[in-house]
Amino acid sequence: MNDERLLKGVDLESLSDEELHSKLIAVKGLGKWSVEMFQIFKLRRQDIFSVGDLAVRKGLGVILHNNPEKFESSKGRTDLEKLAATKFSPWRSLLCMYAYSAWDDWKEKK
């Protein structure tokens, strides 16, 4: 099927996070990370957490443990997802923004 037809006439901004995710994932070439970035940066959704984003994991490692490698293991990723869901919802997109900034600052200092 032509990918353009999947989204033709669809008001993406009106869809729930879950509906938007399923619609966009169906488009060839779009994956989970791309959809999350679209939700955070284009649609300004407030509660999107991208545990698959390396800069987010490294930045939160710096913020929470002064160690950018803290959340690199699969257990670390799981722990980070649980922490974000329990402590930072409904502001997880903002948490990602802080993580990007912390990671950028860390890299500049090294």
Side-chain angles (χ1 to χ4, degrees), residues 5 25 29 31 38 40 44 46 52-53 56 64 66 70-71 73 76 83 86-87 90 97-98 107 109:
R5 289 185 187 173
I25 285 291
F38 181 74
I40 292 171
R44 304 272 188 213
Q46 297 176 11
D53 190 305
V56 168
L64 299 172
N66 202 33
K70 176 68 178 174
F71 299 112
S73 69
L83 175 71
T86 58
K87 300 287 186 186
M97 300 290 191
Y98 279 117
K107 290 185 300 185
K109 292 177 184 174

mmCIF file of all heavy atoms in Angstrom, residues 5 25 29 31 38 40 44 46 52-53 56 64 66 70-71 73 76 83 86-87 90 97-98 107 109:
data_model
loop_
_atom_site.group_PDB
_atom_site.id
_atom_site.type_symbol
_atom_site.label_atom_id
_atom_site.label_comp_id
_atom_site.label_asym_id
_atom_site.label_seq_id
_atom_site.Cartn_x
_atom_site.Cartn_y
_atom_site.Cartn_z
ATOM 1 N N ARG A 5 -1.256 7.157 1.543
ATOM 2 C CA ARG A 5 -2.679 6.897 1.778
ATOM 3 C C ARG A 5 -2.975 6.617 3.248
ATOM 4 O O ARG A 5 -4.080 6.876 3.706
ATOM 5 C CB ARG A 5 -3.154 5.715 0.945
ATOM 6 C CG ARG A 5 -3.238 6.000 -0.524
ATOM 7 C CD ARG A 5 -3.830 4.823 -1.228
ATOM 8 N NE ARG A 5 -3.765 5.001 -2.661
ATOM 9 C CZ ARG A 5 -4.084 4.080 -3.515
ATOM 10 N NH1 ARG A 5 -4.484 2.894 -3.104
ATOM 11 N NH2 ARG A 5 -3.998 4.314 -4.805
ATOM 12 N N ILE A 25 3.782 4.389 12.813
ATOM 13 C CA ILE A 25 4.630 3.195 12.725
ATOM 14 C C ILE A 25 4.308 2.399 11.460
ATOM 15 O O ILE A 25 5.165 1.722 10.908
ATOM 16 C CB ILE A 25 4.452 2.308 13.989
ATOM 17 C CG1 ILE A 25 5.173 2.938 15.176
ATOM 18 C CG2 ILE A 25 4.909 0.895 13.781
ATOM 19 C CD1 ILE A 25 6.676 2.926 15.098
ATOM 20 N N GLY A 29 9.696 3.153 7.069
ATOM 21 C CA GLY A 29 10.813 4.040 7.383
ATOM 22 C C GLY A 29 10.663 4.786 8.689
ATOM 23 O O GLY A 29 11.608 5.395 9.170
ATOM 24 N N GLY A 31 10.108 4.584 12.640
ATOM 25 C CA GLY A 31 10.188 3.673 13.773
ATOM 26 C C GLY A 31 9.772 4.367 15.058
ATOM 27 O O GLY A 31 9.356 5.540 15.040
ATOM 28 N N PHE A 38 8.807 13.110 16.747
ATOM 29 C CA PHE A 38 7.723 13.880 16.141
ATOM 30 C C PHE A 38 6.739 14.339 17.215
ATOM 31 O O PHE A 38 6.302 15.494 17.215
ATOM 32 C CB PHE A 38 7.019 13.029 15.077
ATOM 33 C CG PHE A 38 5.902 13.731 14.366
ATOM 34 C CD1 PHE A 38 6.159 14.705 13.426
ATOM 35 C CD2 PHE A 38 4.589 13.391 14.630
ATOM 36 C CE1 PHE A 38 5.126 15.357 12.756
ATOM 37 C CE2 PHE A 38 3.538 14.030 13.967
ATOM 38 C CZ PHE A 38 3.813 15.011 13.037
ATOM 39 N N ILE A 40 7.316 14.763 20.453
ATOM 40 C CA ILE A 40 7.929 15.722 21.371
ATOM 41 C C ILE A 40 8.158 17.074 20.694
ATOM 42 O O ILE A 40 7.760 18.112 21.216
ATOM 43 C CB ILE A 40 9.267 15.179 21.926
ATOM 44 C CG1 ILE A 40 9.022 13.982 22.852
ATOM 45 C CG2 ILE A 40 10.030 16.281 22.667
ATOM 46 C CD1 ILE A 40 10.291 13.245 23.268
ATOM 47 N N ARG A 44 4.558 18.760 20.262
ATOM 48 C CA ARG A 44 4.718 19.269 21.636
ATOM 49 C C ARG A 44 3.901 18.491 22.663
ATOM 50 O O ARG A 44 3.332 19.068 23.584
ATOM 51 C CB ARG A 44 4.359 20.757 21.713
ATOM 52 C CG ARG A 44 5.122 21.626 20.773
ATOM 53 C CD ARG A 44 6.391 22.065 21.409
ATOM 54 N NE ARG A 44 7.042 23.059 20.564
ATOM 55 C CZ ARG A 44 8.337 23.153 20.479
ATOM 56 N NH1 ARG A 44 9.093 22.370 21.192
ATOM 57 N NH2 ARG A 44 8.884 24.055 19.701
ATOM 58 N N GLN A 46 3.328 16.405 25.895
ATOM 59 C CA GLN A 46 4.004 16.609 27.178
ATOM 60 C C GLN A 46 4.541 15.350 27.829
ATOM 61 O O GLN A 46 5.463 15.426 28.638
ATOM 62 C CB GLN A 46 3.038 17.270 28.166
ATOM 63 C CG GLN A 46 2.597 18.628 27.752
ATOM 64 C CD GLN A 46 1.575 19.199 28.726
ATOM 65 O OE1 GLN A 46 1.354 18.673 29.807
ATOM 66 N NE2 GLN A 46 0.963 20.286 28.337
ATOM 67 N N GLY A 52 14.689 4.775 24.249
ATOM 68 C CA GLY A 52 15.560 4.293 23.190
ATOM 69 C C GLY A 52 16.549 5.330 22.692
ATOM 70 O O GLY A 52 17.462 5.018 21.934
ATOM 71 N N ASP A 53 16.400 6.560 23.124
ATOM 72 C CA ASP A 53 17.276 7.641 22.695
ATOM 73 C C ASP A 53 18.536 7.645 23.561
ATOM 74 O O ASP A 53 18.474 7.838 24.774
ATOM 75 C CB ASP A 53 16.535 8.970 22.819
ATOM 76 C CG ASP A 53 17.275 10.115 22.161
ATOM 77 O OD1 ASP A 53 18.454 10.329 22.515
ATOM 78 O OD2 ASP A 53 16.679 10.798 21.317
ATOM 79 N N VAL A 56 19.128 10.734 25.739
ATOM 80 C CA VAL A 56 18.239 10.778 26.902
ATOM 81 C C VAL A 56 18.806 9.902 28.012
ATOM 82 O O VAL A 56 18.909 10.327 29.172
ATOM 83 C CB VAL A 56 16.801 10.339 26.541
ATOM 84 C CG1 VAL A 56 15.957 10.095 27.785
ATOM 85 C CG2 VAL A 56 16.138 11.377 25.645
ATOM 86 N N LEU A 64 21.103 12.056 37.290
ATOM 87 C CA LEU A 64 20.726 11.271 38.476
ATOM 88 C C LEU A 64 21.896 10.600 39.183
ATOM 89 O O LEU A 64 21.817 10.340 40.387
ATOM 90 C CB LEU A 64 19.695 10.213 38.075
ATOM 91 C CG LEU A 64 18.391 10.762 37.504
ATOM 92 C CD1 LEU A 64 17.534 9.636 36.952
ATOM 93 C CD2 LEU A 64 17.629 11.558 38.547
ATOM 94 N N ASN A 66 25.528 11.184 37.987
ATOM 95 C CA ASN A 66 26.814 11.711 37.526
ATOM 96 C C ASN A 66 27.607 10.649 36.758
ATOM 97 O O ASN A 66 28.825 10.592 36.830
ATOM 98 C CB ASN A 66 27.634 12.276 38.691
ATOM 99 C CG ASN A 66 28.668 13.274 38.227
ATOM 100 O OD1 ASN A 66 28.443 13.988 37.254
ATOM 101 N ND2 ASN A 66 29.793 13.322 38.892
ATOM 102 N N LYS A 70 25.181 4.858 33.234
ATOM 103 C CA LYS A 70 24.325 4.215 34.240
ATOM 104 C C LYS A 70 23.166 3.415 33.630
ATOM 105 O O LYS A 70 22.823 2.352 34.127
ATOM 106 C CB LYS A 70 23.782 5.280 35.194
ATOM 107 C CG LYS A 70 22.813 4.772 36.216
ATOM 108 C CD LYS A 70 23.464 3.873 37.221
ATOM 109 C CE LYS A 70 22.456 3.421 38.264
ATOM 110 N NZ LYS A 70 22.986 2.455 39.181
ATOM 111 N N PHE A 71 22.573 3.900 32.566
ATOM 112 C CA PHE A 71 21.364 3.275 32.019
ATOM 113 C C PHE A 71 21.595 2.569 30.690
ATOM 114 O O PHE A 71 20.693 2.448 29.871
ATOM 115 C CB PHE A 71 20.253 4.319 31.890
ATOM 116 C CG PHE A 71 19.867 4.928 33.201
ATOM 117 C CD1 PHE A 71 20.136 6.266 33.474
ATOM 118 C CD2 PHE A 71 19.256 4.170 34.178
ATOM 119 C CE1 PHE A 71 19.784 6.830 34.684
ATOM 120 C CE2 PHE A 71 18.900 4.721 35.402
ATOM 121 C CZ PHE A 71 19.171 6.057 35.654
ATOM 122 N N SER A 73 22.595 -0.719 30.218
ATOM 123 C CA SER A 73 22.165 -2.121 30.191
ATOM 124 C C SER A 73 20.655 -2.198 29.993
ATOM 125 O O SER A 73 19.934 -1.219 30.197
ATOM 126 C CB SER A 73 22.539 -2.822 31.499
ATOM 127 O OG SER A 73 21.750 -2.305 32.562
ATOM 128 N N GLY A 76 19.104 -1.371 33.180
ATOM 129 C CA GLY A 76 19.144 0.073 33.390
ATOM 130 C C GLY A 76 18.047 0.788 32.629
ATOM 131 O O GLY A 76 17.413 1.705 33.145
ATOM 132 N N LEU A 83 11.203 4.559 36.493
ATOM 133 C CA LEU A 83 11.425 5.820 37.195
ATOM 134 C C LEU A 83 10.699 6.958 36.501
ATOM 135 O O LEU A 83 10.011 7.756 37.147
ATOM 136 C CB LEU A 83 12.927 6.113 37.276
ATOM 137 C CG LEU A 83 13.307 7.454 37.889
ATOM 138 C CD1 LEU A 83 13.025 7.425 39.391
ATOM 139 C CD2 LEU A 83 14.761 7.772 37.619
ATOM 140 N N THR A 86 6.874 6.695 37.006
ATOM 141 C CA THR A 86 6.356 6.936 38.354
ATOM 142 C C THR A 86 6.664 8.331 38.883
ATOM 143 O O THR A 86 5.851 8.917 39.580
ATOM 144 C CB THR A 86 6.898 5.900 39.363
ATOM 145 O OG1 THR A 86 8.326 5.955 39.369
ATOM 146 C CG2 THR A 86 6.446 4.506 39.015
ATOM 147 N N LYS A 87 7.809 8.873 38.537
ATOM 148 C CA LYS A 87 8.237 10.143 39.121
ATOM 149 C C LYS A 87 8.022 11.364 38.223
ATOM 150 O O LYS A 87 7.952 12.481 38.721
ATOM 151 C CB LYS A 87 9.724 10.092 39.498
ATOM 152 C CG LYS A 87 10.077 9.027 40.502
ATOM 153 C CD LYS A 87 9.594 9.397 41.867
ATOM 154 C CE LYS A 87 10.101 8.368 42.875
ATOM 155 N NZ LYS A 87 9.574 8.580 44.184
ATOM 156 N N PRO A 90 3.159 13.536 34.351
ATOM 157 C CA PRO A 90 2.942 13.671 32.914
ATOM 158 C C PRO A 90 3.904 14.644 32.221
ATOM 159 O O PRO A 90 3.535 15.265 31.223
ATOM 160 C CB PRO A 90 1.523 14.195 32.852
ATOM 161 C CG PRO A 90 1.445 15.133 34.024
ATOM 162 C CD PRO A 90 2.283 14.459 35.092
ATOM 163 N N MET A 97 14.035 16.757 27.447
ATOM 164 C CA MET A 97 14.708 18.010 27.101
ATOM 165 C C MET A 97 15.845 18.309 28.083
ATOM 166 O O MET A 97 16.945 18.696 27.678
ATOM 167 C CB MET A 97 13.729 19.180 27.112
ATOM 168 C CG MET A 97 12.596 19.033 26.160
ATOM 169 S SD MET A 97 13.149 19.175 24.470
ATOM 170 C CE MET A 97 11.596 19.305 23.662
ATOM 171 N N TYR A 98 15.575 18.123 29.362
ATOM 172 C CA TYR A 98 16.626 18.332 30.365
ATOM 173 C C TYR A 98 17.769 17.337 30.161
ATOM 174 O O TYR A 98 18.935 17.678 30.323
ATOM 175 C CB TYR A 98 16.069 18.200 31.782
ATOM 176 C CG TYR A 98 15.382 19.433 32.278
ATOM 177 C CD1 TYR A 98 14.027 19.412 32.580
ATOM 178 C CD2 TYR A 98 16.078 20.627 32.453
ATOM 179 C CE1 TYR A 98 13.384 20.557 33.040
ATOM 180 C CE2 TYR A 98 15.437 21.763 32.904
ATOM 181 C CZ TYR A 98 14.095 21.724 33.206
ATOM 182 O OH TYR A 98 13.462 22.852 33.650
ATOM 183 N N LYS A 107 29.301 16.573 27.713
ATOM 184 C CA LYS A 107 30.257 16.378 26.603
ATOM 185 C C LYS A 107 31.189 17.581 26.458
ATOM 186 O O LYS A 107 32.368 17.413 26.170
ATOM 187 C CB LYS A 107 29.509 16.135 25.289
ATOM 188 C CG LYS A 107 28.803 14.807 25.226
ATOM 189 C CD LYS A 107 28.194 14.571 23.855
ATOM 190 C CE LYS A 107 27.197 15.625 23.508
ATOM 191 N NZ LYS A 107 26.495 15.406 22.249
ATOM 192 N N LYS A 109 32.230 19.551 28.773
ATOM 193 C CA LYS A 109 33.170 19.599 29.900
ATOM 194 C C LYS A 109 34.282 18.555 29.780
ATOM 195 O O LYS A 109 35.317 18.687 30.396
ATOM 196 C CB LYS A 109 32.426 19.419 31.222
ATOM 197 C CG LYS A 109 31.542 20.585 31.546
ATOM 198 C CD LYS A 109 30.768 20.331 32.820
ATOM 199 C CE LYS A 109 29.805 21.479 33.083
ATOM 200 N NZ LYS A 109 28.935 21.215 34.216
#
